[in-house]
Amino acid sequence: MNSSDLISVIIPVYNVEKYVGSCLESVCNQTYKNLDIIIVDDGSKDSSNKICEDYALKDSRIRIIHKNNAGLGLARNTGLEHVKGKYVAFIDSDDFVAANYIEAMLNGIKRSNADTCYAGYYEYYDDNNIISKPARYDSTIFTNNAIIEKVLLGMIGTEPSYKVDFILPMSVWHALYSSEIIQQHNIKFPSERDYISEDIIFHISYLQHSKITSFIKDCIYYYRCNNNNSLTHNFRDNEFDCNIELVKKIEGDLSYILENEIFVNKTRRLLLGRCRTCIQKAVRYASFNKEFDLNSYLSKILMNDELIACIHSYPYKQNPIKQRIFNYFLLNQSIIGVKTLAYLSGMGRNRRF
């Protein structure tokens, strides 16, 4: 490893006073020391900024950039404007990382002369409830077209018969990226307020320019999962509309680099999976907000023109049984059917049908 390789770490911060200290502690204590730590204060109203300033006084590698609140994606873009490192990592300020987070991924890059490395992660609920999510590929590299076919499309969706909706997570926080690729092609994040999932848009722009992408199986990122007390913050009444716009954006961007028939069933499956998630969130939300008109909300989803076109053109009969039943109810616009499936799936944390 070339110890002179400076690594930039971008950490957007907004009202996370409860968690940002443990996040910064994990970054400052990395085994790899040559770090450029960029904190983007996205207009925090709590004590988050004071906590960041205290860490900056103790660690000269930290720079703090202040901006008006505009969301996670645009805060990351602000960080990208100030990157000095050869590679860049993105860490969410309510999460934390293993001590070898940077070193492990940089080793993965160096071993294969790659420009990008992905790793596994943990779903963290509390110290006694941590679920390992190792990367699908172990010490594996992909080059050129295989990066699009195996990595990018694996983040977007799977073929209809596959058991799960996707095989690789879309998130950027378990990877190390080439600053040169990002800067050379002026790659930016969109606002998650527009597309609900800004990371996949970034990946479409980025991975089409990657030459060698590597994977390590190691779980080195701790993704802090919501618990039942935060469900009110986990429901957005416009989330389904944002997912419609997300899929339109993905299909538009992919059409510049791939023939439509290569990805269309994957993007349709993505939309149907997001539809299931939106319905389950709505059913959970209705369970403690009695004023919420669940039937009206579900009717709006089931009558959506884009969803109707999607389910009529998608070979849902090839899906595994649970998805097949759900998609049958979508096809027949059955509020009772989709609501019943959501109830039967249980109200437990992060459980999906």
Side-chain angles (χ1 to χ4, degrees):
M1 180 190 306
N2 183 354
S3 61
S4 67
D5 285 337
L6 181 65
I7 309 297
S8 291
V9 181
I10 296 175
I11 310 172
V13 172
Y14 180 71
N15 290 353
V16 283
E17 61 185 3
K18 184 177 179 180
Y19 303 116
V20 68
S22 61
C23 175
L24 294 179
E25 192 74 18
S26 71
V27 175
C28 291
N29 290 325
Q30 287 294 293
T31 55
Y32 189 85
K33 303 299 182 183
N34 196 14
L35 302 179
D36 167 38
I37 304 170
I38 305 170
I39 296 173
V40 182
D41 172 33
D42 194 31
S44 293
K45 304 300 183 184
D46 64 1
S47 64
S48 296
N49 185 51
K50 174 64 167 58
I51 295 170
C52 293
E53 289 176 346
D54 289 344
Y55 271 89
L57 290 174
K58 296 185 293 183
D59 195 323
S60 61
R61 299 173 297 176
I62 295 176
R63 293 182 284 152
I64 303 176
I65 301 164
H66 300 280
K67 65 182 294 295
N68 293 329
N69 178 257
L72 177 63
L74 301 189
R76 286 173 176 163
N77 290 343
T78 297
L80 286 172
E81 294 172 2
H82 296 269
V83 160
K84 297 178 180 178
K86 182 174 182 179
Y87 302 99
V88 59
F90 303 96
I91 298 176
D92 289 353
S93 53
D94 53 348
D95 299 332
F96 59 102
V97 295
N100 66 334
Y101 171 75
I102 294 295
E103 183 175 7
M105 291 191 293
L106 187 56
N107 281 336
I109 283 177
K110 299 298 184 181
R111 279 196 300 265
S112 52
N113 197 29
D115 48 54
T116 311
C117 182
Y118 292 92
Y121 66 98
Y122 296 102
E123 289 182 349
Y124 177 88
Y125 296 94
D126 56 51
D127 289 343
N128 298 313
N129 190 359
I130 304 173
I131 301 173
S132 299
K133 297 288 184 178
R136 180 177 179 83
Y137 307 113
D138 185 18
S139 301
T140 306
I141 64 170
F142 297 98
T143 62
N144 301 315
N145 291 340
I147 295 172
I148 302 299
E149 296 170 5
K150 300 294 186 180
V151 182
L152 179 57
L153 292 182
M155 296 176 180
I156 292 171
T158 56
E159 295 299 329
S161 61
Y162 210 80
K163 291 182 179 180
V164 294
D165 290 329
F166 58 89
I167 59 174
L168 295 173
M170 294 179 176
S171 303
V172 296
W173 35 249
H174 60 115
L176 197 59
Y177 301 92
S178 163
S179 298
E180 181 180 3
I181 290 176
I182 293 171
Q183 293 165 355
Q184 183 177 350
H185 299 282
N186 194 30
I187 297 169
K188 304 289 185 183
F189 289 89
S191 171
E192 73 282 358
R193 297 172 183 177
D194 295 328
Y195 295 116
I196 206 78
S197 183
E198 72 285 357
D199 291 11
I200 190 59
I201 306 302
F202 173 90
H203 276 128
I204 295 172
S205 299
Y206 178 90
L207 287 173
Q208 63 182 288
H209 301 293
S210 173
K211 301 300 183 186
I212 303 176
T213 293
S214 63
F215 281 80
I216 58 172
K217 203 164 190 175
D218 314 50
C219 296
I220 53 177
Y221 188 96
Y222 290 82
Y223 171 67
R224 200 183 293 273
C225 295
N226 289 336
N227 56 39
N228 288 330
N229 293 327
S230 62
L231 284 175
T232 52
H233 304 293
N234 207 24
F235 175 77
R236 293 168 49 177
D237 60 5
N238 70 335
E239 183 169 337
F240 182 73
D241 294 332
C242 289
N243 276 304
I244 290 288
E245 295 306 312
L246 171 67
V247 173
K248 288 181 181 177
K249 173 66 173 172
I250 290 172
E251 290 181 340
D253 288 357
L254 287 178
S255 68
Y256 287 104
I257 57 176
L258 294 170
E259 297 296 328
N260 283 15
E261 58 267 22
I262 295 175
F263 63 80
V264 68
N265 276 341
K266 292 180 171 62
T267 54
R268 287 170 181 164
R269 182 155 187 177
L270 170 64
L271 178 58
L272 295 172
R274 292 299 182 96
C275 179
R276 291 200 311 274
T277 299
C278 287
I279 289 173
Q280 187 169 39
K281 285 183 179 180
V283 168
R284 288 179 175 179
Y285 184 70
S287 71
F288 57 82
N289 185 343
K290 302 306 180 183
E291 297 181 0
F292 177 62
D293 189 345
L294 178 60
N295 284 348
S296 176
Y297 179 81
L298 296 180
S299 177
K300 180 182 176 183
I301 289 180
L302 297 183
M303 296 297 291
N304 180 275
D305 289 341
E306 284 87 355
L307 180 63
I308 291 172
C310 174
I311 191 60
H312 276 275
S313 58
Y314 182 74
Y316 77 91
K317 292 182 180 180
Q318 298 176 29
N319 283 159
I321 185 65
K322 290 183 179 179
Q323 290 94 328
R324 196 186 321 159
I325 294 172
F326 170 79
N327 289 334
Y328 172 82
F329 287 140
L330 282 188
L331 183 70
N332 290 277
Q333 299 179 329
S334 172
I335 292 177
I336 294 176
V338 297
K339 187 162 58 173
T340 300
L341 279 184
Y343 279 120
L344 290 176
S345 72
M347 306 301 289
R349 180 175 55 200
N350 280 356
R351 185 176 175 186
R352 296 179 180 177
F353 57 88

